[in-house]
């Protein structure tokens, strides 16, 4: 394979294009040209530990010259030849002449991304999303600032870019990722303090506000783990174990998140209106808040929940109730969730625990519907399609008719995107959903 294809002249004359592209030097070294004109060195090699192809970003040009980049590649190839994984040989890489102490936020990100993100985030989609958020919101505002001069107000400019665009969940994710990155630097004495230390989630996405509660990805994962634990119940005479929530309630909760349905629609769900073969759930007009029949496309995630729910379903209603109506109260799920969260002055005679406390504060069943819509939005689904998925009523009759006829494929895509995100986040549902047996 030919090597040393690049020249400094060719690198300097390389111009940004509509999409990112690479100039290859050969042998595993390439220069990635970003849309904003930034030029980042990338090294590829096969890890002797995993046998997988590794892509490592070592810094930007001209901070790292062509000669230095070639030397960095040579050091890594030498280590691989000795069956040493470069990812686990930082001291040897330092000795190879590559300056590993970052001077700017951009340089810190490249090191943190390589050593922390690529090591701890197994999903390549997650890795790409973190890089994308950094390049879109953070790099333009603080990328070139020296580490010793980064201030809280400058970091907030990046977060405010997402807030001003209405991407509240993204704003919170940016805050969390920057906090991890800066703490990584503080631990290595590359910085004296973390500029995000005094920034709260309320300053970022503002999700703690009443009526705007959205569960973050971390909270959804934490919720899965909490519900998967069997807490001990001790008395003077015995120790027993039981689930945090009854299986029926937990499945209703995951069904709400997977379908973005209203509490009353879940409570009154009829067995005959779930068409598994067609992958749809039909909500009749008399149940829907806007009095319009609604079709919910069932993703693979939703179908996994349904396969368990079906085993618990009553003859008519899935969630059989004791009252005259025949189905459970639409308030039952939220009541059970509330009884397991911190709250002042619990009603007399009602037990109250803190099992379901989450970092972002109190949450309800309806917040799961809002969270589902937010996940769709973050996946690039248009607001019009999300409104259709939520069965929001459009006051314009012409628009309403057109969307009923033309947007079913887009709605299916939206629900599939929601389900795919939940599977990626939580793992295959068959591995952790509660058994209905």
């Amino acid at each position: 394979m030919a090597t040393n294809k690049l020249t400094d002249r060719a690198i300097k004359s390389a111009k940004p294009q509509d999409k990112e592209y690479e100039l290859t030097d050969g042998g595993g070294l390439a220069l990635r040209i970003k849309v904003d004109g930034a030029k980042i060195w990338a090294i590829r090699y096969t890890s002797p530990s995993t046998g997988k192809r590794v892509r490592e970003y070592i810094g930007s040009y001209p901070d790292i010259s062509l000669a230095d980049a070639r030397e960095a590649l040579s050091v890594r190839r030498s280590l691989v030849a000795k069956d040493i994984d470069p990812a686990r040989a930082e001291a040897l890489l330092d000795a190879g002449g590559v300056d590993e102490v970052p001077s700017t936020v951009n340089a810190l990100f490249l090191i943190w991304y390589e050593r922390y993100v690529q090591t701890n985030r197994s999903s390549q989609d997650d890795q790409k999303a973190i890089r994308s958020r950094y390049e879109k919101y953070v790099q333009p505002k603080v990328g070139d600032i020296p580490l010793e001069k980064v201030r809280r107000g400058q970091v907030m400019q990046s977060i405010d870019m997402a807030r001003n665009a209405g991407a509240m969940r993204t704003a919170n994710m940016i805050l969390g990722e920057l906090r991890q990155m800066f703490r990584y630097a503080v631990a290595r004495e590359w910085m004296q303090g973390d500029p995000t230390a005094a920034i709260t989630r309320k300053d970022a996405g503002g999700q703690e506000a009443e009526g705007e509660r959205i569960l973050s990805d971390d909270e959804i994962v934490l919720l899965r783990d909490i519900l998967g634990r069997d807490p001990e119940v001790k008395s003077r005479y015995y120790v027993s174990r039981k689930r945090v929530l009854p299986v029926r309630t937990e499945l209703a909760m995951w069904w709400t998140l997977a379908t973005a349905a209203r509490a009353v629609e879940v409570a009154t769900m009829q067995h005959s209106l779930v068409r598994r073969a067609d992958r749809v759930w039909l909500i009749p007009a008399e149940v829907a808040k806007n009095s319009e029949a609604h079709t919910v496309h069932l993703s693979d995630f939703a179908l996994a929940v349904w396969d368990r729910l079906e085993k618990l379903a009553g003859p008519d209603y899935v969630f059989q109730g004791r009252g005259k109506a025949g189905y459970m109260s639409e308030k039952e799920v939220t009541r059970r969730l509330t009884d397991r969260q911190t709250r002042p002055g619990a009603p007399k005679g009602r037990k109250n625990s803190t099992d379901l406390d989450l970092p972002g504060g109190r949450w309800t069943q309806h917040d799961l519907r809002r969270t589902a819509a937010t996940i769709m939005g973050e996946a690039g689904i248009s607001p019009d399609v999300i409104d259709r998925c939520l069965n929001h009523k459009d006051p314009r009759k012409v628009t309403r008719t057109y969307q009923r006829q033309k947007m079913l494929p887009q709605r299916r895509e939206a629900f599939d995107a929601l389900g795919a995100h939940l599977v990626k986040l939580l793992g295959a549902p068959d591995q952790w959903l509660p058994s209905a047996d």
Side-chain angles (χ1 to χ4, degrees):
M1 179 184 293
T3 57
N4 297 347
K5 298 179 182 179
L6 292 178
T7 64
D8 283 304
R9 184 173 182 178
I11 293 173
K12 291 177 181 177
S13 62
K15 304 297 182 184
Q17 299 178 8
D18 293 337
K19 295 184 179 180
E20 296 180 8
Y21 68 100
E22 288 188 350
L23 301 176
T24 302
D25 191 50
L29 177 64
L31 187 69
R32 191 163 189 81
I33 314 298
K34 314 293 285 185
V35 175
D36 63 0
K39 301 174 181 179
I40 311 295
W41 289 111
I43 289 178
R44 297 180 179 87
Y45 59 87
T46 300
S47 168
S49 300
T50 64
K52 295 182 179 180
R53 194 69 172 162
V54 175
R55 180 191 186 91
E56 178 184 355
Y57 292 93
I58 63 171
S60 59
Y61 179 92
D63 295 333
I64 294 179
S65 67
L66 175 59
D68 288 339
R70 287 171 175 167
E71 177 61 20
L73 173 64
S74 176
V75 171
R76 283 155 179 76
R77 294 182 67 179
S78 176
L79 291 173
V80 171
K82 298 175 183 177
D83 205 33
I84 299 173
D85 193 337
R88 303 177 182 178
E90 294 178 3
L92 294 175
L93 291 179
D94 288 344
V98 181
D99 182 8
E100 294 287 350
V101 179
S103 58
T104 65
V105 175
N106 276 343
L108 170 60
F109 174 79
L110 292 172
I111 293 176
W112 173 73
Y113 183 83
E114 170 202 333
R115 296 185 181 179
Y116 182 85
V117 176
Q118 292 185 322
T119 300
N120 295 282
R121 298 290 188 96
S122 58
S123 168
Q124 291 190 356
D125 288 340
D126 284 351
Q127 295 176 11
K128 291 178 181 178
I130 290 171
R131 177 175 284 276
S132 176
R133 281 189 288 271
Y134 176 83
E135 292 174 349
K136 182 175 181 179
Y137 296 104
V138 182
Q139 184 172 289
K141 296 295 184 181
V142 299
D144 295 329
I145 297 177
L147 290 184
E148 68 272 14
K149 295 184 178 180
V150 181
R151 298 294 180 265
R152 183 170 63 248
Q154 295 166 324
V155 174
M156 278 303 304
Q157 290 181 19
S158 298
I159 295 172
D160 284 342
M161 281 185 66
R163 283 179 59 90
N164 294 339
M168 299 304 189
R169 186 165 176 267
T170 297
N172 277 340
M173 296 176 78
I174 292 170
L175 172 60
E177 288 156 8
L178 288 180
R179 181 162 289 158
Q180 286 183 349
M181 183 180 76
F182 286 129
R183 287 179 178 177
Y184 182 92
V186 170
R188 288 154 181 78
E189 296 189 339
W190 297 340
M191 300 178 70
Q192 293 303 308
D194 172 15
T196 69
I199 302 175
T200 67
R201 283 168 58 88
K202 188 173 182 179
D203 296 320
Q207 293 179 356
E208 294 85 350
E210 186 70 24
E212 297 179 1
R213 181 76 164 94
I214 299 169
L215 275 64
S216 69
D217 281 354
D218 288 342
E219 288 180 318
I220 295 172
V221 173
L222 179 59
L223 184 58
R224 176 204 63 190
D225 295 341
I226 291 172
L227 293 172
R229 294 197 297 263
D230 292 334
E232 288 188 352
V233 179
K234 298 182 179 180
S235 76
R236 181 177 178 181
Y237 303 102
Y238 66 90
V239 175
S240 67
R241 303 182 71 85
K242 65 178 182 179
R243 297 188 62 83
V244 175
L245 285 174
V247 172
R248 184 176 87 157
T249 305
E250 181 178 344
L251 291 174
M253 185 200 76
W254 292 119
W255 182 258
T256 302
L257 183 60
T259 62
R262 296 180 175 92
V264 66
E265 295 166 347
V266 174
T268 60
M269 181 166 59
Q270 298 177 47
H271 190 287
S272 61
L273 296 183
V274 179
R275 312 283 173 80
R276 196 190 191 290
D278 298 327
R279 302 175 67 98
V280 296
W281 167 31
L282 306 178
I283 299 175
E286 59 268 22
V287 173
K289 183 178 179 180
N290 61 5
S291 300
E292 291 185 2
H294 182 50
T295 299
V296 177
H297 173 77
L298 301 180
S299 65
D300 289 340
F301 181 90
L303 288 175
V305 180
W306 170 249
D307 288 342
R308 284 161 170 74
L309 270 178
E310 190 174 22
K311 296 178 181 179
L312 301 174
D316 297 317
Y317 295 101
V318 174
F319 297 100
Q320 204 75 18
R322 298 179 181 177
K324 294 181 180 180
Y327 50 81
M328 76 174 182
S329 167
E330 64 181 90
K331 299 179 180 180
E332 178 175 328
V333 174
T334 284
R335 178 180 63 79
R336 292 185 182 275
L337 297 179
T338 302
D339 283 348
R340 290 157 178 80
Q341 298 179 61
T342 299
R343 57 175 173 166
K348 187 176 180 180
R350 291 262 292 275
K351 294 182 179 180
N352 191 220
S353 72
T354 60
D355 291 327
L356 294 182
D357 279 359
L358 295 177
R362 288 183 58 191
W363 58 283
T364 67
Q365 183 182 8
H366 188 77
D367 294 326
L368 298 174
R369 171 176 159 89
R370 187 181 297 109
T371 298
T374 301
I375 292 173
M376 288 180 180
E378 293 294 337
I381 306 301
S382 74
D384 286 345
V385 174
I386 295 174
D387 280 343
R388 290 291 101 192
C389 291
L390 298 176
N391 202 21
H392 284 163
K393 186 172 183 178
D394 193 309
R396 296 165 296 179
K397 183 176 180 180
V398 174
T399 301
R400 226 169 34 239
T401 302
Y402 173 80
Q403 290 183 342
R404 271 204 305 267
Q405 294 175 347
K406 301 295 185 180
M407 300 187 75
L408 281 175
Q410 293 91 331
R411 286 155 58 181
R412 182 179 296 108
E413 178 185 357
F415 281 113
D416 280 341
L418 169 62
H421 180 85
L422 294 175
V423 171
K424 181 180 72 173
L425 185 66
L426 301 170
D430 289 339
Q431 301 298 316
W432 57 268
L433 280 174
S435 173
D437 296 327

